[in-house]
Amino acid sequence: METKHTNELTEMKIDLEKLKSICQHQDVSAKTLHKDRSLQVFTNNFSVEVENHTKIHPSPEFKDEDKSTLFNIVEPKSELYEEKRLLLPQITTPGAILTKVAFYARVKESMHDLGFNQAISFESVVLDTHNAFHGTSGVFTAPRAGNYAFWGNVVCYPNKYLEYYLVKDGVEITGGTCGNQAVWGSSTILAACQLDSGNKVWIHMDGNDHSSGNLIYRFHTSFLGFILN
């Protein structure tokens, strides 16, 4: 029985050595590597299965140093593999497919005397995973296609009034009203929509349907969006 398990482990070791050779010598770009991670996932899972097998069926003929070699397909011996090892677990570059698209920003300075359909500026950008949000214009540009959720909160000065809309490429998706009371007014909107890469989303005034003078209060007025899939 022990001989049988030793033979099985030896065959597994040979298979992993073949995979190791592929990792070291296959001439592919880093971009292709992070798009197709099947080889990395397979070798990781396979290693775990072999290790579990050795725990259940220990064999004196299969020495600890052999097992160390078997699982050490991650031993970086080539420039290509080192690039692959660093890239796959932690992709942080803008546009990387494993990073969720998200942004969150606030109004930095209170806004006043707004124009017709003027967009709200959210210049205090707290989070922007893909450099897709432009604070001054208040415009988010989708870095890739998908279903997105958006949330906006507008706070206006006492005794002031405004109407506003969430807009996708000029088409109003949802809107809200705020104000006309003796205390600070607050209004929140929430919506979801499908975006293609390059589609733009922002919040703007409803024409001239708003008060003049000091109108939108800073900090508490904010805009958030993120991809759902």
Side-chain angles (χ1 to χ4, degrees):
M1 180 64 71
E2 290 181 352
T3 302
K4 178 181 177 181
H5 293 314
T6 301
N7 291 338
E8 290 176 355
L9 291 170
T10 301
E11 291 176 2
M12 291 179 180
K13 179 177 179 181
I14 293 172
D15 289 340
L16 284 173
E17 286 297 327
K18 291 179 180 179
L19 291 175
K20 177 181 176 182
S21 178
I22 293 173
C23 291
Q24 291 178 340
H25 300 295
Q26 188 177 11
D27 183 18
V28 292
S29 65
K31 183 177 180 181
T32 302
L33 284 169
H34 78 66
K35 282 186 176 180
D36 184 3
R37 302 168 64 244
S38 58
L39 179 61
Q40 174 74 10
V41 171
F42 174 76
T43 54
N44 286 347
N45 292 341
F46 192 51
S47 295
V48 171
E49 290 178 7
V50 174
E51 187 164 23
N52 290 337
H53 187 84
T54 60
K55 289 177 181 177
I56 298 172
H57 306 288
S59 172
E61 298 178 41
F62 193 72
K63 301 177 181 178
D64 288 340
E65 55 267 29
D66 293 331
K67 187 168 70 172
S68 174
T69 302
L70 177 61
F71 299 122
N72 209 9
I73 60 168
V74 295
E75 187 73 37
K77 292 184 179 179
S78 70
E79 201 172 287
L80 173 65
Y81 187 74
E82 180 66 14
E83 184 178 36
K84 173 173 175 279
R85 184 185 67 80
L86 292 175
L87 180 63
L88 290 178
Q90 47 181 7
I91 299 177
T92 56
T93 54
I97 61 172
L98 297 184
T99 304
K100 289 290 187 180
V101 181
F103 74 91
Y104 173 62
R106 300 188 296 254
V107 170
K108 186 175 183 179
E109 300 292 340
S110 296
M111 301 179 68
H112 56 86
D113 297 321
L114 300 181
F116 181 85
N117 278 359
Q118 181 174 336
I120 300 178
S121 298
F122 297 89
E123 294 184 326
S124 180
V125 180
V126 180
L127 173 69
D128 185 9
T129 60
H130 286 61
N131 295 322
F133 184 76
H134 188 262
T136 303
S137 65
V139 175
F140 168 76
T141 304
R144 61 187 180 92
N147 296 315
Y148 288 78
F150 296 96
W151 175 91
N153 186 65
V154 176
V155 174
C156 66
Y157 281 81
N159 300 311
K160 296 297 177 77
Y161 171 81
L162 64 87
E163 292 190 12
Y164 63 98
Y165 284 98
L166 178 72
V167 183
K168 170 189 171 183
D169 287 341
V171 178
E172 294 165 345
I173 300 173
T174 189
T177 61
C178 180
N180 257 356
Q181 50 192 348
V183 295
W184 297 92
S186 178
S187 173
T188 298
I189 55 173
L190 177 64
C193 63
Q194 190 278 327
L195 298 180
D196 292 325
S197 178
N199 284 161
K200 300 181 185 299
V201 176
W202 65 92
I203 296 176
H204 74 195
M205 297 294 98
D206 178 17
N208 282 320
D209 197 1
H210 53 78
S211 304
S212 58
N214 290 332
L215 186 59
I216 295 178
Y217 189 64
R218 63 180 179 82
F219 189 78
H220 299 292
T221 299
S222 54
F223 188 21
L224 175 149
F226 54 90
I227 195 167
L228 295 170
N229 57 339

